[in-house]
Amino acid sequence: MTDDVTTLDVVVGGPAGRTISPDLWGVFLEDINFALDGGLNADLVRNGDFEAGPADRPGWGPLTGWSVESGEVRAGSALPVSSANATYASLLPGEGAAFLVNRGYGADGMPVPAATFGLTLTARTHEPGARLTAGLRPVGGSVSAASELTLPSDGRWHRIGTMLRRPDAARMELVVEARSGRVDLDLVELRPLDASGRPELFRRDLVEAVRRLRPAFVRFPGGCLVHGFGLDNMYHWKTTIGPREQRLPLPNTWGYHQSMAIGYHEYFLLCEELGAAPVPIVAAGVCCQNVPGGPQAIPAGRMPQYVQDVVDVVEYANGAPDTRWGAVRAAAGHPEPFGLRMIGLGNEDVVDAPFVERFAQLTEALRAAHPEIELIGTAGPWPFGRDFEAGWELCRRLGIDLVDEHGYRTPRWIWQNHERYDGYDRTGPAVYLGEWAARSSTVRSAIAEAGYMVALERNADIVRMASYAPLLARVGDSQWEPDLIYFTDDAVLGSAAYDVHRLFAEARGDQVLDVQVSGAPLGHQPEPRLGPTALTCPGARVSFTHIEADGVPLPDVVVDDEHPETTLAVPPLTRRLALTATREDGTEGFQVRLGDPASGTTHDVIVGSWGNRSLIWSRSDDGLGDEVDGPYPFAGVQTGVPRRIEVERDGSRVVVRHDGAVVHDHTDDRRSWPEVVVGATSRTVEGDVERVVTIVNGSDRDRTARVSVKGVTGPVTATSTVLAGSEPEAGAAFEASALHRRDDRVEGLGELALVVPRWSITSLRVRAG
Ligand code: AHR
């Protein structure tokens, strides 16, 4: 089969005997990239609880997000609103007013998404003459209608509110002003009012964007956020519910402040609003392993309470209002249950003895108290490796219902691993592909993802659930890319992956159908190459000496920030590269890149990645790279200590030695892959059987497809949706999708003939016979 064949024959058969899980496509909401405060949380005030501090981000403090225009404003902590919200602002007017201004999350002021806003704040004063007013004004302008807030001078905290009208401007600021006496201020919230005058909990345009994905479930709150950066940073659901002042804000793992204004209760409300099942993930009693000092576990003596807390979340979600936690939910305004069906234990944890012990304790307690709840285990951060194997083994042993696999991989890896789930054991736990994405927001990544989604759907009897990650990212304030949905204060920018996910959600089938394809071209993976060779050392100055390429000595080089990449003038290098690297200065390690970037594929020996803590052998295809061996723990490159690196290649196998010891012995994955994949499912629409045929073309050529349904010779009609990109590299993170959508109708006799454009996904909803 060669790429010269541009005609594709697709024959759709009968049921393949696999029922597609109704929970297949969901979303994963983690507070990363300002997804909640500054994102989904409709509150426009930044740091309204005055709890920001250096633990959130160096340089931050209680008045971050606020500016003092006149008078004096100090952070206070004596007799706070609550111990959970220990810091407040004291407005100390002098001759004139004490004037505090908040501009929200954007650099140029708050957006103005409504005509009226509800302002609520908590304040106290001891001084009878003290006056508190609040208003909105155009950025840098003046407040036209300030609202005076009635505040008793009894020295107690009071929650008070008022309605404010939008100023006549595209950007605004909130102004809070105290006169004639000190006023303490905390928990300031400004929310757009909806048509019936109620304050919005969620930013509407973001909710609508998520709704268009028709998520069957919402995973929350993490991700890494769940187990936290150290035991004190672990996410505990009980500290995120109840009145706002009782919620415990936390430094966010991703380097900012989380107010918990969107806590567990709001999460359940969101699921309800979206018609999605909640899938909470809780820490399995251990914190993130990537903290200084390594993994830490909740001490054994504190585990019974922690286990009880986890068991209680089920009662909070599902318990009758006369149960202890059901009553708390009812008091929050929701007597009806939230319908929790499953819960995840752990996230990407190291599967070591403390983890296993705690995971088993949680499993046992949940099973005893709530046998109706399905349990999801964890299998490490990569779709292979030690924790992957150990996580799966543990889940099989304990009879866990689903295993949470994660896979952030390159488009090439995704294409090469299409058949991954075809041979999965159908008798053990099912798969929840809880976090996955190709490595960019380009057309190339989105089309690879679409191909993988065909494979996931084909295996949706065993891959019961999948959620791309992360879901949301604020443009200009993000810690992770790619993401499914980018947003600014004013706009929602669905990525190419978002378009693809939407299409799959719209065309979700019930049954997998057999499908035969001929004419699909194959992509081929080139052999690893050792030359040309480039040396890079971001964050270090390294001298490379005793360099030999296939036995030929080369001159010494020094690589530093001024010469960040040096390409060695190597002869055609086929077998062996050796060099001695000595760091002269800096804190990081170094990297040896092998192969010609112009060929599309390179390999890297990475010595001291992840803050000089790991050893990695990685492969990049089409400019996107992934670890293919490692990361292995590493004591770090030391200044002044030479390290001899030898790389030997024998066909697809590469062996890397450090000071004579083998670190990597890896055989490259050279599997070819079909550049066009086709899937078929069926469902019932308005009483008729509809077949959904999905054709993903990840090649550089348009293809003509002839699609027929076995046994049907008469008229065939289909509505088609095509998402096509002009070039594979089109599109980027923080931009709207580079895929273009076209909806059409196709008709034929016995078969449908259509052109499947290069770099596209075509979804045909076929009615035949
Ligand atoms: O989705 C971003 C992060 O990726 C998650 O928090 C973590 O689980 C994974 O490593």
Side-chain angles (χ1 to χ4, degrees):
M1 196 174 308
T2 77
D3 200 30
D4 298 335
V5 179
T6 55
T7 303
L8 202 68
D9 278 303
V10 177
V11 181
V12 178
R18 291 181 181 174
T19 300
I20 297 172
S21 152
D23 290 329
L24 182 57
W25 307 125
V27 295
F28 167 31
L29 174 61
E30 176 171 24
D31 192 359
I32 182 173
N33 309 320
F34 287 77
L36 295 186
D37 295 336
L40 198 59
N41 181 4
D43 180 12
L44 296 171
V45 182
R46 180 168 168 218
N47 190 27
D49 59 11
F50 301 99
E51 298 294 328
D56 299 315
R57 191 174 284 187
W60 280 13
L63 292 180
T64 291
W66 297 89
S67 53
V68 181
E69 278 193 10
S70 70
E72 194 184 342
V73 178
R74 283 194 213 142
S77 56
L79 298 174
V81 182
S82 70
S83 56
N85 255 277
T87 311
Y88 51 84
S90 287
L91 282 66
L92 305 157
E95 292 295 298
F99 218 79
L100 199 51
V101 178
N102 195 293
R103 278 193 169 192
Y105 291 86
D108 53 355
M110 292 173 181
V112 187
T116 47
F117 296 84
L119 174 75
T120 42
L121 49 82
T122 302
R124 79 172 164 202
T125 187
H126 295 79
E127 300 182 43
R131 285 171 52 213
L132 183 66
T133 56
L136 299 173
R137 68 180 190 192
V139 171
S142 47
V143 179
S144 48
S147 180
E148 176 131 12
L149 299 156
T150 311
L151 180 63
S153 55
D154 56 4
R156 293 195 181 153
W157 290 104
H158 296 273
R159 190 85 179 134
I160 48 183
T162 189
M163 199 184 89
L164 300 173
R165 287 202 179 283
R166 60 162 289 164
D168 190 14
R171 282 283 179 277
M172 64 180 187
E173 299 168 327
L174 169 69
V175 174
V176 185
E177 186 186 339
R179 282 179 193 276
S180 317
R182 165 182 160 175
V183 175
D184 296 332
L185 184 67
D186 208 347
L187 298 169
V188 185
E189 285 188 15
L190 180 72
R191 294 181 179 276
L193 298 180
D194 68 13
S196 41
R198 278 189 308 254
E200 299 275 19
L201 180 55
F202 301 119
R203 197 176 131 170
R204 290 319 318 164
D205 54 353
L206 286 178
V207 172
E208 293 316 315
V210 178
R211 194 197 302 282
R212 283 192 283 274
L213 293 169
R214 305 178 190 201
F217 64 89
V218 181
R219 173 195 179 116
F220 177 86
C224 291
L225 198 84
V226 162
H227 51 193
F229 204 68
L231 287 180
D232 291 343
N233 194 235
M234 198 176 264
Y235 193 103
H236 295 279
W237 73 271
K238 284 183 182 171
T239 63
T240 73
I241 57 163
R244 173 85 195 268
E245 69 276 9
Q246 283 171 17
R247 301 183 181 196
L248 186 69
L250 268 191
N252 180 296
T253 296
W254 300 103
Y256 56 95
H257 177 67
Q258 40 187 344
S259 71
M260 301 300 182
I262 305 294
Y264 251 71
H265 188 80
E266 293 71 28
Y267 157 57
F268 286 133
L269 289 176
L270 179 68
C271 292
E272 189 171 69
E273 174 164 0
L274 294 169
V279 180
I281 308 290
V282 297
V286 296
C287 74
C288 178
Q289 59 268 30
N290 297 320
V291 296
Q296 296 150 33
I298 294 178
R302 278 172 39 209
M303 272 307 285
Q305 181 57 54
Y306 181 71
V307 169
Q308 188 58 49
D309 287 348
V310 171
V311 169
D312 288 344
V313 79
V314 182
E315 190 173 280
Y316 186 86
N318 294 351
D322 61 356
T323 59
R324 175 161 178 221
W325 290 100
V328 180
R329 183 194 69 238
H334 203 284
E336 309 78 21
F338 281 119
L340 182 65
R341 291 192 274 126
M342 38 192 143
I343 190 164
L345 306 174
N347 180 70
E348 297 189 352
D349 305 288
V350 172
V351 182
D352 57 7
F355 168 85
V356 171
E357 194 183 321
R358 284 156 184 77
F359 184 88
Q361 276 176 273
L362 287 162
T363 301
E364 197 182 325
L366 279 162
R367 285 218 176 111
H370 297 290
E372 73 285 6
I373 297 293
E374 287 198 296
L375 301 181
I376 305 172
T378 182
W382 288 282
F384 49 77
R386 205 204 77 88
D387 294 317
F388 179 83
E389 300 299 338
W392 263 99
E393 198 277 320
L394 177 66
C395 290
R396 278 197 197 97
R397 184 156 57 80
L398 297 181
I400 300 295
D401 303 284
L402 294 112
V403 177
D404 179 16
E405 291 191 359
H406 291 186
Y408 299 95
R409 307 303 295 172
T410 61
R412 181 68 55 84
W413 185 96
I414 287 176
W415 283 113
Q416 282 187 297
N417 284 275
H418 253 246
E419 289 163 6
R420 176 181 175 89
Y421 295 111
D422 292 345
Y424 254 48
D425 175 9
R426 257 75 187 161
T427 59
V431 176
Y432 167 30
L433 182 56
E435 297 185 23
W436 77 286
R439 294 275 187 197
S440 73
S441 285
T442 59
V443 166
R444 183 188 297 285
S445 286
I447 297 301
E449 286 158 354
Y452 208 54
M453 288 172 84
V454 167
L456 296 179
E457 203 171 45
R458 174 171 82 230
N459 288 287
D461 56 329
I462 183 78
V463 183
R464 272 181 47 194
M465 299 156 67
S467 42
Y468 182 101
L471 176 64
L472 296 170
R474 188 178 169 90
V475 177
D477 272 318
S478 103
Q479 297 80 45
W480 188 287
E481 59 183 85
D483 308 280
L484 205 56
I485 300 172
Y486 303 108
F487 62 89
T488 64
D489 268 340
D490 311 287
V492 175
L493 310 168
S495 65
Y498 175 79
D499 285 347
V500 167
H501 275 73
R502 241 185 103 176
L503 191 59
F504 273 86
E506 283 168 8
R508 182 167 9 209
D510 301 326
Q511 295 291 328
V512 179
L513 299 180
D514 279 325
V515 60
Q516 285 165 13
V517 184
S518 50
L522 289 182
H524 301 284
Q525 181 65 28
E527 267 192 352
R529 296 270 160 230
L530 300 189
T533 303
L535 307 169
T536 51
C537 313
R541 175 183 162 84
V542 180
S543 70
F544 294 91
T545 59
H546 306 90
I547 308 174
E548 290 168 41
D550 282 346
V552 178
L554 297 179
D556 297 350
V557 289
V558 175
V559 182
D560 56 18
D561 285 344
E562 267 175 47
H563 314 92
E565 179 171 312
T566 298
T567 302
L568 299 178
V570 290
L573 178 53
T574 57
R575 287 174 293 105
R576 184 172 181 277
L577 174 80
L579 48 81
T580 299
T582 311
R583 188 172 79 189
E584 295 178 355
D585 199 7
T587 53
E588 296 295 326
F590 58 90
Q591 207 157 316
V592 183
R593 195 190 65 216
L594 306 157
D596 184 0
S599 74
T601 293
T602 55
H603 286 76
D604 284 87
V605 182
I606 304 176
V607 184
S609 176
W610 293 65
N612 201 10
R613 287 191 288 135
S614 0
L615 300 174
I616 296 173
W617 170 245
S618 86
R619 188 178 95 188
S620 297
D621 296 301
D622 309 306
L624 294 168
D626 259 340
E627 306 91 353
V628 287
D629 191 48
Y632 297 116
F634 172 48
V637 172
Q638 314 287 322
T639 298
V641 181
R643 179 168 283 266
R644 184 75 179 157
I645 307 287
E646 293 164 281
V647 188
E648 273 175 12
R649 181 179 88 95
D650 180 8
S652 303
R653 181 179 174 201
V654 176
V655 177
V656 181
R657 290 187 179 79
H658 287 215
D659 295 331
V662 174
V663 172
H664 306 288
D665 182 349
H666 185 76
T667 301
D668 216 36
D669 183 353
R670 301 276 325 283
R671 283 177 297 171
S672 302
W673 63 94
E675 290 184 323
V676 177
V677 294
V678 184
T681 63
S682 69
R683 58 185 183 174
T684 305
V685 179
E686 292 158 3
D688 286 337
V689 172
E690 185 176 87
R691 294 167 180 89
V692 180
V693 182
T694 309
I695 308 174
V696 180
N697 183 355
S699 77
D700 275 325
R701 288 191 177 194
D702 293 353
R703 313 265 157 190
T704 302
R706 288 192 299 247
V707 180
S708 59
V709 176
K710 225 177 202 162
V712 173
T713 51
V716 188
T717 59
T719 49
S720 85
T721 302
V722 180
L723 294 174
S726 49
E727 290 303 323
E729 303 318 328
F734 313 114
E735 291 176 5
S737 168
L739 289 174
H740 304 288
R741 180 175 175 137
R742 208 186 62 226
D743 291 290
D744 237 324
R745 193 178 159 78
V746 198
E747 292 178 0
L749 196 63
E751 68 174 27
L752 298 169
L754 57 141
V755 172
V756 181
R758 63 201 289 269
W759 300 105
S760 73
I761 163 170
T762 300
S763 171
L764 294 170
R765 273 86 62 203
V766 184
R767 302 274 174 107

